[in-house]
Amino acid sequence: MPVPVPRQRAIPAVESGQAQAAPAGGLLKVEAHRDAAPAQGTGATLTLLLIEDDPAGSPIVPDLLDSAGKPIRVRTARNLTEAERLLTDDVHCILLDLALPAPGGGDTGDELAVLRHVLRLAPRHAVLALTASTDAERGAEAVRVGAQDYLFRDELDGRLLSRAIRYAVERKRSDTAERRLAEGRLRAQENRRLERGLLPTP
């Protein structure tokens, strides 16, 4: 009578060193930070969203290049409604014409209403303000409000804009990292304060 051969036990990937062990009672899960800036990994192509009511008349030249010499993709939106539809996670930078009408079409008296709207719409993206060379004060105020930089429309060329895009993306990433670090420190201080409050009084 043939002797039955015992079946070999399948070795889980965790035991064989091919995977990380899942925590007890649950699946292994990796969560991305909700406020993470648009990813720009190795080899990623930069994407610019141009918000201007007349993209055809824009001084922007098509040969925008990143630091590696690769073309920068350009999307164009004629208004804020189109911009919201085109604003996906692969957009790294927004070039906003400050001369666009204010949201809602009303005259709010706020010259930077359109910028404030875009900053609320895209808090994780780098924003460059585009203005006339005779309106430098408005550009400086745009930076104080939250834009990474401002550019003069009639002095813009492909090389200048390419460099400004790269710097704006890096500046936004640095600002986001500093903000997270500060928030982490505040949370740690609050946790220590709570722990001290929970300790028994000797």
Side-chain angles (χ1 to χ4, degrees):
M1 183 174 180
V3 179
V5 179
R7 296 176 60 183
Q8 293 185 345
R9 182 178 68 90
I11 301 176
V14 171
E15 295 182 14
S16 62
Q18 297 175 357
Q20 184 179 356
L27 299 176
L28 183 66
K29 182 171 63 174
V30 179
E31 295 183 356
H33 196 285
R34 189 172 64 176
D35 286 338
Q40 184 196 351
T42 305
T45 301
L46 283 174
T47 300
L48 172 72
L49 176 60
L50 168 64
I51 309 177
E52 187 184 29
D53 57 357
D54 186 17
S58 170
I60 298 171
V61 292
D63 54 343
L64 299 176
L65 302 176
D66 63 13
S67 57
K70 296 188 302 182
I72 296 176
R73 290 192 300 252
V74 179
R75 298 179 186 172
T76 56
R78 294 180 181 273
N79 51 54
L80 295 176
T81 302
E82 286 187 14
E84 187 171 1
R85 179 174 56 84
L86 295 174
L87 189 61
T88 53
D89 287 340
D90 59 339
V91 172
H92 299 90
C93 185
I94 298 170
L95 180 59
L96 173 66
D97 185 0
L98 295 181
L100 279 173
D107 186 8
T108 62
D110 183 1
E111 293 184 341
L112 298 177
V114 64
L115 173 62
R116 299 180 198 277
H117 181 83
V118 169
L119 291 174
R120 288 193 298 268
L121 187 66
R124 299 178 293 125
H125 295 74
V127 177
L128 291 170
L130 186 62
T131 187
S133 58
T134 57
D135 207 1
E137 181 57 34
R138 190 180 186 184
E141 181 63 23
V143 174
R144 287 192 287 270
V145 167
Q148 270 59 58
D149 203 351
Y150 68 94
L151 303 169
F152 295 135
R153 175 188 296 277
D154 50 357
E155 297 179 4
L156 201 60
D157 59 26
R159 185 176 180 181
L160 173 63
L161 179 57
S162 298
R163 185 169 66 247
I165 292 170
R166 296 195 302 268
Y167 287 172
V169 170
E170 290 303 322
R171 191 175 300 121
K172 182 65 175 180
R173 183 177 291 113
S174 176
D175 292 344
T176 301
E178 289 180 2
R179 178 174 57 82
R180 289 181 189 166
L181 182 60
E183 291 174 352
R185 288 172 177 168
L186 288 176
R187 283 195 298 269
Q189 292 174 359
E190 181 65 15
N191 289 338
R192 287 195 295 269
R193 187 185 67 81
L194 291 174
E195 289 173 357
R196 288 196 297 269
L198 295 174
L199 291 176
T201 303

